[in-house]
């Protein structure tokens, strides 16, 4: 298999660094097998699209990891506690179970890109 990297952008790296060490290790452990899953079971991940950009979401316990594919592997954009996402959904007035609604919400993309609201 070709070289495969998991790249954390500055925002996701900071989110991970703020977590307790045990939680960091748990989340990092959830990346095991991710390279193969992305290529063979991509439909098992949540998928959000906007302007030709595709983000995927996978669950690691109470956390949601938003990432996109890159030539070298995966770029991790955000690692969010599901409760903070629930708060975001509530404040945004969109339904929790609909990735389609989320992908149409510009506030979500601002969150992913690290823009201040």
């Amino acid at each position: 298999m070709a070289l495969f990297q998991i790249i954390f952008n500055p925002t996701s790296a900071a989110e991970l660094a703020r977590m307790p060490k045990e939680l960091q290790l748990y989340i990092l452990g959830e990346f095991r097998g991710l390279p193969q899953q992305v290529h063979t079971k991509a439909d098992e991940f949540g998928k959000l699209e906007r302007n030709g950009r595709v983000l995927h979401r996978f669950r690691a316990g109470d956390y949601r990891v938003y990432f996109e594919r890159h030539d070298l592997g995966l770029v991790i954009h955000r690692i969010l506690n599901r409760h903070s996402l629930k708060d975001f959904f509530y404040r945004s007035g969109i339904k929790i179970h609909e990735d389609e609604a989320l992908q149409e919400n510009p506030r979500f993309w601002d969150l992913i890109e690290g823009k201040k609201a």
Side-chain angles (χ1 to χ4, degrees):
M1 186 156 117
L3 179 64
F4 188 93
Q5 296 180 25
I6 296 178
I7 304 162
F8 291 86
N9 72 4
T11 302
S12 63
E15 289 167 345
L16 188 65
R18 284 191 298 268
M19 296 176 186
K21 293 292 182 206
E22 296 80 19
L23 183 55
Q24 290 179 24
L25 293 173
Y26 168 74
I27 289 175
L28 291 173
E30 292 296 304
F31 290 122
R32 216 178 2 221
L34 190 59
Q36 293 80 17
Q37 291 173 337
V38 167
H39 293 293
T40 61
K41 300 177 182 179
D43 56 333
E44 292 182 8
F45 297 101
K47 183 176 178 182
L48 300 102
E49 297 180 68
R50 181 177 175 201
N51 298 330
R53 184 175 182 189
V54 178
L55 284 183
H56 296 280
R57 171 189 43 79
F58 85 93
R59 293 182 180 142
D62 284 342
Y63 288 82
R64 305 300 175 251
V65 178
Y66 290 90
F67 67 92
E68 66 183 318
R69 295 168 86 165
H70 183 275
D71 291 340
L72 297 175
L74 303 178
V75 176
I76 308 299
H77 288 283
R78 299 300 301 250
I79 304 171
L80 301 171
N81 185 290
R82 70 182 176 109
H83 298 297
S84 65
L85 272 180
K86 283 184 181 179
D87 291 343
F88 172 76
F89 290 132
Y90 176 75
R91 288 189 308 274
S92 299
I94 59 178
K95 297 177 184 174
I96 292 175
H97 299 298
E98 297 183 11
D99 283 341
E100 295 83 19
L102 184 59
Q103 74 186 8
E104 297 301 321
N105 188 313
R107 290 174 59 195
F108 172 77
W109 293 95
D110 288 346
L111 175 73
I112 291 297
E113 294 168 1
K115 295 178 183 173
K116 301 289 183 199

